[in-house]
Amino acid sequence: MIEDPLGPLDPEFAAAFKRDDRRPPCQLYLISPLHVAGAFPDRLARALDAGPVAAFQYRVKDINQHDAARLAEPLQRICADRDVAFIVNDSISLAKRLGADGVHLGQEDGDPREARQILGPGVQIGVTCHDSRHLAMEAGDAGADYVAFGSFYPTTTKEVKHRPEPVILSWWSTLFELPCVAIGGITPENAPPLVAAGADFIAVSGAVWSGDEAAAVRAFNAALG
């Protein structure tokens, strides 16, 4: 857990939280598996056709940028055809090369100010803030379009070092208009408490791609409703 300079949150904050009706309903944010070759484009199309999805994050590791761009192209077309934002994980340069709708930055992946300068005013910039209100406020000050908190639940998608409580979503949504994303081990069964706590987006990967992607998207949308 990051030592947050702001100190611990009062657990009673969540009990008093009421979602602002002026905020849009919570939406689904898909993250790709690490392997997106072969039949994956067809799987992505089925997932996006199964129900509303706000964004798709392209997350691949340990391949060069040329191969990453080649694999991204059919996925980007599928998203564009369905008006789903195509977000590149980690790489400002790949996002620029693809003309992506956005980039998602980890704490070690670059500064939002640099990303804005390179990618322009119309591109969405998200920042991973783990369990830290301080990092989230820094990201907002740096011009991020959304902040992401997590991992809320155990996950096998990546190593978990930070475990925020849902109350951080309530605190953020109460004080800031900037959208917040909840991530980490989220399933249709455990998503509702995060929605109730104030998440604007639920980011999911394994719970969709480990089985029937269309059924999973339908189940998530039912849970978010």
Side-chain angles (χ1 to χ4, degrees), residues 20-89:
D20 189 334
D21 291 339
R22 291 172 295 182
R23 293 181 90 101
C26 187
Q27 301 176 77
L28 190 60
Y29 181 144
L30 290 188
I31 300 176
S32 77
L34 294 179
H35 303 289
V36 295
F40 182 74
D42 292 335
R43 296 193 69 194
L44 176 60
R46 282 197 297 272
L48 300 187
D49 288 341
V53 175
F56 171 75
Q57 185 185 124
Y58 179 62
R59 179 177 179 266
V60 294
K61 303 287 184 181
D62 302 323
I63 63 174
N64 64 50
Q65 189 173 107
H66 176 76
D67 288 337
R70 176 178 55 80
L71 290 168
E73 287 172 3
L75 309 181
Q76 193 172 7
R77 285 196 300 272
I78 289 165
C79 290
D81 288 345
R82 292 158 176 82
D83 199 26
V84 173
F86 185 86
I87 311 293
V88 170
N89 177 263

Side-chain angles (χ1 to χ4, degrees), residues 7-177:
L9 266 170
D10 181 354
E12 295 303 313
F13 197 102
F17 174 75
K18 184 180 185 302
R19 188 182 186 94
D20 189 334
D21 291 339
R22 291 172 295 182
R23 293 181 90 101
C26 187
Q27 301 176 77
L28 190 60
Y29 181 144
L30 290 188
I31 300 176
S32 77
L34 294 179
H35 303 289
V36 295
F40 182 74
D42 292 335
R43 296 193 69 194
L44 176 60
R46 282 197 297 272
L48 300 187
D49 288 341
V53 175
F56 171 75
Q57 185 185 124
Y58 179 62
R59 179 177 179 266
V60 294
K61 303 287 184 181
D62 302 323
I63 63 174
N64 64 50
Q65 189 173 107
H66 176 76
D67 288 337
R70 176 178 55 80
L71 290 168
E73 287 172 3
L75 309 181
Q76 193 172 7
R77 285 196 300 272
I78 289 165
C79 290
D81 288 345
R82 292 158 176 82
D83 199 26
V84 173
F86 185 86
I87 311 293
V88 170
N89 177 263
D90 288 355
S91 177
I92 297 170
S93 59
L94 180 59
K96 182 171 180 61
R97 175 173 176 165
L98 293 172
D101 299 306
V103 66
H104 183 90
L105 302 175
Q107 286 295 316
E108 310 299 324
D109 297 324
D111 187 285
R113 296 177 185 88
E114 176 193 8
R116 181 68 68 207
Q117 185 176 12
I118 293 171
L119 300 175
V123 170
Q124 296 290 304
I125 299 172
V127 177
T128 293
C129 300
H130 303 304
D131 54 1
S132 173
R133 292 177 288 159
H134 176 68
L135 289 179
M137 289 192 294
E138 283 190 333
D141 287 342
D145 294 292
Y146 70 84
V147 297
F149 296 109
S151 174
F152 284 95
Y153 303 116
T155 176
T156 58
T157 302
K158 62 192 300 185
E159 183 182 358
V160 173
K161 296 180 181 178
H162 311 282
R163 287 293 299 275
E165 295 296 325
V167 65
I168 198 170
L169 302 169
S170 305
W171 174 84
W172 181 266
S173 296
T174 298
L175 297 181
F176 302 98
E177 293 183 5

